[in-house]
Amino acid sequence: MQYFTFLGVGTLPEGYEEALYSFEDNKEEIHASKYVQSAIIEKFQSDISEVFVFCTEKSYSLGARNIKNEIKTKFNIDIKFITINEFVKIEEILQKMDEVLKEDFIIDVTHSFRNIPISVTMISNYLEVSTKKQLKHLFYGNYNRETNEGLIIDLINQYENSKIASSLMAFDQFLKISDTYLYNLNDNKINNLMKGIYQFNHMLDYCEFDSCVHSISQIYNFCQSILKEKDKYILLTPYLKSIQKKLSNIYIEKNDAIKKIKFIKLLLAHNSLQIAITFTDQLIREELLHYYYFPDSKSFKEELLNKIAKESDFYDLSTDLLFFLNIRNSSKNINSKDYIVNIRNKNNNLSKDVSLLDKENINIFYIKIRNVVNHGGKIDQNIDVNKIILKCLDSIEKFIKEG
């Protein structure tokens, strides 16, 4: 790991005085030194490869030689100084760190200048994303002049929670997060949640309908597991509760098809229009095949098609039903393949009332929305796509429940 720290000028004329430093997770282990850096290096000596010290011209002239000698003598490590202005801008810190950052890193803000302690979260977030390296520790040395003791606090958990909170907020708003590769924490519950969201996003990108709906249940359960220890995750609680509320009506639904309908409505509510179009098409086809060929099955699974013929094709079979049942109409003569017609004739077993389907609206969905998108065209802006899809979904739900 690379270690980035700051050298101040101290409050005494002679600079820093020796203090007894300990770490929050092990107060019995004492490190005696004038410099908090010495205590940190001593604790992580086997992991630290380089030490970079930010300093102003004044702090360099007052203390650089002393801290360099101590670190060299104690640990045989040469430290590198980076000179900055006392009123340095965050962009300059970022640039200088970005130029040398090659490994996971530690930041110590004990003696940092002005606004840097406040900006360190932004600095670290930027560096993690731009370099794909991870901040492992974020230290602050809390020195008590009366007792001459310094307690070194690791703020990494608070920092990680702030990142996770930002990601959860993004998922709550957009059903998407973009930085899951950063999450490799010691907290298995958080890791499971973030991996679950990543899996959901991955399945969404690949239009894996069943897997997306399954991931929704996983995410809900992971949130529930964390909320059972909500006192431990206070910063995350409001986001977790909001996500759970958003997913709850999908999670508790027992009927797989209705669950999918609710999921598509969730996508529409989050402006995921293109994937909602794809899944609406798939849902219509699934339920036609379900109730024409497999009415005794609780829900449709594509592997059921193997029961009627080895060469069964989901798309061809469902397209045939769309026209055969007069749900769709076309000015062109639609001729199904002979093997599809034979399969249909041998399995004439429709168990639902197709008149319950809004055939006119479904036909509009295919002609003016789904087919246009599939062929790279532009949907007429006068068409209310959300309204048409919602009508299709309500029609399918009625078909499932009342047919």
Side-chain angles (χ1 to χ4, degrees):
M1 293 185 296
Q2 293 170 294
Y3 172 30
F4 294 88
T5 182
F6 296 82
L7 179 64
V9 296
T11 56
L12 300 175
E14 62 274 18
Y16 295 109
E17 61 182 336
E18 186 172 88
L20 301 177
Y21 287 105
S22 62
F23 287 82
E24 193 175 26
D25 62 348
N26 185 1
K27 295 180 181 178
E28 303 302 318
E29 183 180 331
I30 305 299
H31 305 264
S33 174
K34 289 184 177 181
Y35 303 103
V36 67
Q37 291 89 348
S38 184
I40 292 171
I41 293 171
E42 186 172 357
K43 184 175 178 66
F44 296 96
Q45 184 178 1
S46 60
D47 298 318
I48 291 175
S49 59
E50 291 182 292
V51 179
F52 295 90
V53 179
F54 286 99
C55 54
T56 63
E57 290 184 0
K58 183 177 181 180
S59 66
Y60 180 85
S61 64
L62 290 175
R65 179 181 297 176
N66 291 335
I67 189 173
K68 185 174 184 177
N69 288 340
E70 177 164 325
I71 301 302
K72 178 68 175 177
T73 301
K74 279 188 174 182
F75 312 109
N76 195 29
I77 295 177
D78 285 317
I79 62 179
K80 301 174 179 67
F81 293 95
I82 302 175
T83 305
I84 56 175
N85 188 285
E86 185 178 352
F87 298 95
V88 65
K89 293 182 179 179
I90 183 174
E91 291 82 3
E92 185 180 345
I93 296 288
L94 282 173
Q95 182 181 0
K96 291 182 181 294
M97 290 184 70
D98 202 23
E99 288 172 356
V100 298
L101 190 60
K102 299 174 183 176
E103 304 171 10
D104 291 340
F105 58 107
I106 297 172
I107 295 181
D108 157 34
V109 295
T110 305
H111 299 296
S112 56
F113 310 109
R114 308 279 177 185
N115 65 328
I116 291 174
I118 299 172
S119 305
V120 72
T121 298
M122 290 183 288
I123 292 172
S124 299
N125 276 341
Y126 173 90
L127 290 169
E128 286 190 320
V129 172
S130 66
T131 66
K132 305 296 187 291
K133 306 303 178 186
Q134 190 172 9
L135 177 65
K136 292 295 188 180
H137 299 280
L138 176 57
F139 288 120
Y140 172 71
N142 186 13
Y143 176 65
N144 186 330
R145 185 172 295 282
E146 292 182 3
T147 62
N148 199 35
E149 294 175 338
L151 181 64
I152 302 174
I153 302 167
D154 193 349
L155 302 171
I156 194 65
N157 287 335
Q158 291 90 324
Y159 168 74
E160 292 291 354
N161 281 341
S162 73
K163 286 197 306 180
I164 294 163
S166 295
S167 289
L168 293 178
M169 182 170 61
F171 181 74
D172 191 31
Q173 292 178 329
F174 310 112
L175 299 182
K176 282 274 189 179
I177 58 175
S178 60
D179 54 353
T180 46
Y181 64 85
L182 295 176
Y183 298 101
N184 186 20
L185 311 177
N186 294 323
D187 191 318
N188 287 331
K189 289 190 174 185
I190 297 296
N191 273 334
N192 288 337
L193 173 61
M194 303 315 295
K195 288 175 182 176
I197 293 175
Y198 173 81
Q199 184 71 12
F200 170 77
N201 286 167
H202 182 72
M203 292 298 102
L204 201 61
D205 288 339
Y206 283 86
C207 298
E208 294 285 349
F209 202 0
D210 289 305
S211 296
C212 284
V213 176
H214 177 67
S215 289
I216 288 289
S217 294
Q218 285 188 316
I219 292 167
Y220 185 96
N221 284 326
F222 290 143
C223 288
Q224 184 65 24
S225 176
I226 296 170
L227 286 171
K228 287 179 180 179
E229 301 180 73
K230 60 184 179 181
D231 290 345
K232 182 180 174 183
Y233 302 98
I234 291 174
L235 292 176
L236 304 181
T237 296
Y239 306 104
L240 295 168
K241 286 183 175 179
S242 182
I243 289 171
Q244 268 203 315
K245 183 178 180 181
K246 186 187 301 292
L247 305 182
S248 61
N249 70 328
I250 300 172
Y251 176 78
I252 64 176
E253 178 59 54
K254 301 301 182 183
N255 184 292
D256 289 343
I258 306 300
K259 190 185 286 274
K260 288 182 175 181
I261 289 171
K262 291 180 176 181
F263 174 54
I264 295 172
K265 289 181 177 180
L266 178 70
L267 293 173
L268 288 175
H270 291 79
N271 300 313
S272 297
L273 190 56
Q274 188 160 350
I275 192 69
I277 292 170
T278 298
F279 285 164
T280 299
D281 172 36
Q282 186 171 337
L283 179 67
I284 293 169
R285 293 172 180 276
E286 285 181 356
E287 292 312 297
L288 288 179
L289 291 173
H290 182 190
Y291 291 109
Y292 192 92
Y293 291 109
F294 314 104
D296 296 330
S297 295
K298 182 180 178 181
S299 59
F300 176 78
K301 302 294 180 184
E302 198 161 339
E303 52 264 29
L304 288 170
L305 297 178
N306 294 326
K307 292 184 176 182
I308 54 177
K310 289 183 179 180
E311 70 271 27
S312 297
D313 179 86
F314 173 84
Y315 183 80
D316 286 345
L317 281 167
S318 57
T319 299
D320 171 70
L321 287 182
L322 281 166
F323 289 97
F324 174 72
L325 298 172
N326 297 314
I327 296 167
R328 286 204 57 197
N329 56 65
S330 175
S331 58
K332 298 179 181 178
N333 186 22
I334 303 297
N335 292 315
S336 296
K337 297 173 183 177
D338 289 343
Y339 88 93
I340 296 292
V341 174
N342 290 333
I343 292 172
R344 187 215 314 142
N345 290 337
K346 289 179 181 178
N347 297 272
N348 196 333
N349 194 24
L350 184 65
S351 65
K352 292 282 185 179
D353 183 0
V354 184
S355 67
L356 292 171
L357 290 171
D358 186 347
K359 297 181 181 181
E360 180 181 358
N361 196 70
I362 292 174
N363 195 49
I364 291 172
F365 166 75
Y366 277 101
I367 293 174
K368 296 188 176 181
I369 299 173
R370 182 264 185 188
N371 290 354
V372 174
V373 170
N374 275 19
H375 293 91
K378 293 183 179 180
I379 299 174
D380 187 337
Q381 292 188 3
N382 294 320
I383 294 175
D384 190 336
V385 178
N386 280 38
K387 185 177 180 180
I388 290 172
I389 292 177
L390 288 172
K391 281 185 176 181
C392 286
L393 297 176
D394 290 342
S395 173
I396 298 166
E397 186 169 356
K398 186 177 182 181
F399 172 69
I400 293 168
K401 290 180 175 179
E402 300 178 19

